[in-house]
Amino acid sequence: MSKGTKESQACLGRHQHGKSRVRVGRVWRMADGKNVFREYSVNTTLISAMEHSYLEGTNDGMTATDTQKNMCYFVAKQLDRPCSVEEYAIALGRKFVSEYPLVSAAIIEVDQKPWQRVSVDGEAHNHGFAISGTEVRMTRVEVRKSGEVDVQSGFRELRLCKTTQSGYEGFHRDQYTLLPDTKERLMASSVTCTWSYFGGAKDYDMEYKKIRQKLVDAFFGTPKSGVYSPSVQKTLYEMGESVIDGCPEVEWIMLNMPNLHFNPLHPVASKFEHDVYFPTSEPHGTIEAVVQRRQRARL
């Protein structure tokens, strides 16, 4: 630094690098003639000792983002049996922290597209698949060089609607409020949900199906009569509560539930009889909360 030059007050803080939207398709061809098919979109993030790249402009020891992309395909190839999206993400994270000395942790985020096996003439097809619905399964896994693994699972865009047994009333009113009270309305949402496990799960696919079913059951209630919802907030909490109480391996669950509005409409020369609606998703209310397990008593 030359004489008279002011010393910089800047210093490097948290830093990372990775690759986004790596698309991976994987087919496992089983001995019984059936194929198992998955399609993933992968984001990789590496936490590594690469301060010198930022401060000195040298790239020694850096795991290039192109290398990270190629590793997504390599690890998919090495998994010789069908696996859950969580197992794939864990394997990928472990490969990064074991292969590269400067990498202290790997964060792997994977979306799994909703391909489902089709049936023809009532029989499951050996190698036929179709996209089913809008729901996208996802996971976020952090693997540390120390061996610790944190797993979060979830989904987004699970669209749910019940056509009765919902209302909204008793909220604060002032000169800006136009919304009327109602005891009868449609309630619909596009649900995004994430949960965290205590130390992982023995069977991630089984746990996913179990948790998803508990959420759906709590939203709708019993088949004949359903369950009344006084607000999205109350339904959200009941959904999270059903998972916490019914799935001991889950530490917490986050639910984001925007309203998909169906506004009452009376066509020309007729009146509204809870039959014709105008669907709109903008603007919409957004309700979000975390439902967590009470602190466990120490033994």
Side-chain angles (χ1 to χ4, degrees):
M1 183 179 297
S2 59
K3 185 177 180 180
T5 302
K6 186 177 180 180
E7 183 178 1
S8 173
Q9 298 301 300
C11 63
L12 182 65
R14 183 174 184 269
H15 56 91
Q16 61 190 43
H17 71 292
K19 199 74 165 180
S20 297
R21 298 184 180 181
V22 181
R23 297 185 63 181
V24 179
R26 180 64 161 99
V27 178
W28 289 274
R29 304 183 189 277
M30 313 306 290
D32 63 0
K34 285 189 176 181
N35 292 176
V36 177
F37 174 55
R38 300 283 188 270
E39 182 183 353
Y40 301 136
S41 177
V42 186
N43 295 340
T44 63
T45 301
L46 301 186
I47 311 300
S48 57
M50 287 305 304
E51 294 84 355
H52 52 274
S53 178
Y54 296 87
L55 301 177
E56 302 168 13
T58 61
N59 298 323
D60 297 346
M62 181 183 290
T63 307
T65 64
D66 182 70
T67 304
Q68 296 180 45
K69 175 201 70 179
N70 296 335
M71 191 67 80
C72 295
Y73 299 112
F74 176 81
V75 170
K77 174 70 173 179
Q78 300 307 303
L79 296 170
D80 57 3
R81 61 172 180 81
C83 66
S84 67
V85 65
E86 289 87 354
E87 289 172 300
Y88 169 67
I90 291 169
L92 182 56
R94 283 176 172 162
K95 183 65 174 175
F96 281 124
V97 298
S98 64
E99 187 82 12
Y100 301 108
L102 297 185
V103 174
S104 58
I107 300 169
I108 311 298
E109 298 172 308
V110 187
D111 289 351
Q112 178 177 309
K113 289 203 172 182
W115 290 102
Q116 300 292 332
R117 189 179 302 278
V118 301
S119 293
V120 176
D121 294 331
E123 184 178 354
H125 202 284
N126 274 3
H127 55 265
F129 300 85
I131 288 284
S132 176
T134 58
E135 175 186 351
V136 176
R137 182 174 171 178
M138 57 191 187
T139 191
R140 181 188 187 276
V141 171
E142 182 169 348
V143 180
R144 303 181 189 92
K145 196 178 285 290
S146 61
E148 297 172 287
V149 178
D150 292 332
V151 180
Q152 295 177 17
S153 300
F155 55 77
R156 68 174 184 273
E157 296 184 38
L158 173 62
R159 298 189 182 186
L160 303 176
C161 174
K162 58 182 183 180
T163 54
T164 188
Q165 285 284 60
S166 176
Y168 187 56
E169 56 186 334
F171 47 87
H172 173 73
R173 290 191 169 279
D174 57 23
Q175 65 269 36
Y176 309 109
T177 306
L178 299 177
L179 185 69
D181 284 352
T182 182
K183 295 179 183 293
E184 178 62 40
R185 65 171 183 170
L186 268 69
M187 188 173 84
S189 185
S190 179
V191 182
T192 295
C193 181
T194 304
W195 58 86
S196 178
Y197 292 103
F198 285 109
K202 292 181 180 180
D203 186 328
Y204 286 103
D205 287 338
M206 182 184 299
E207 292 300 327
Y208 181 87
K209 291 176 183 177
K210 177 182 175 183
I211 292 167
R212 183 188 184 280
Q213 192 61 56
K214 286 192 173 295
L215 292 167
V216 171
D217 290 352
F219 182 90
F220 290 112
T222 58
K224 295 295 185 182
S225 58
V227 61
Y228 184 74
S229 171
S231 65
V232 176
Q233 285 87 341
K234 185 65 165 64
T235 295
L236 182 155
Y237 183 79
E238 290 172 350
M239 292 167 71
E241 182 181 41
S242 71
V243 172
I244 294 298
D245 289 343
C247 304
E249 65 282 355
V250 173
E251 180 180 7
W252 55 260
I253 183 167
M254 185 279 293
L255 288 147
N256 177 283
M257 296 177 61
N259 286 315
L260 301 180
H261 292 295
F262 287 80
N263 295 324
L265 182 71
H266 51 88
V268 175
S270 63
K271 64 179 181 178
F272 176 66
E273 296 177 310
H274 300 286
D275 51 358
V276 180
Y277 300 83
F278 174 67
T280 178
S281 59
E282 296 177 356
H284 63 250
T286 300
I287 294 86
E288 180 176 299
V290 174
V291 182
Q292 59 196 32
R293 192 172 300 282
R294 295 180 186 272
Q295 187 173 4
R296 293 179 171 179
R298 293 182 179 178
L299 299 178

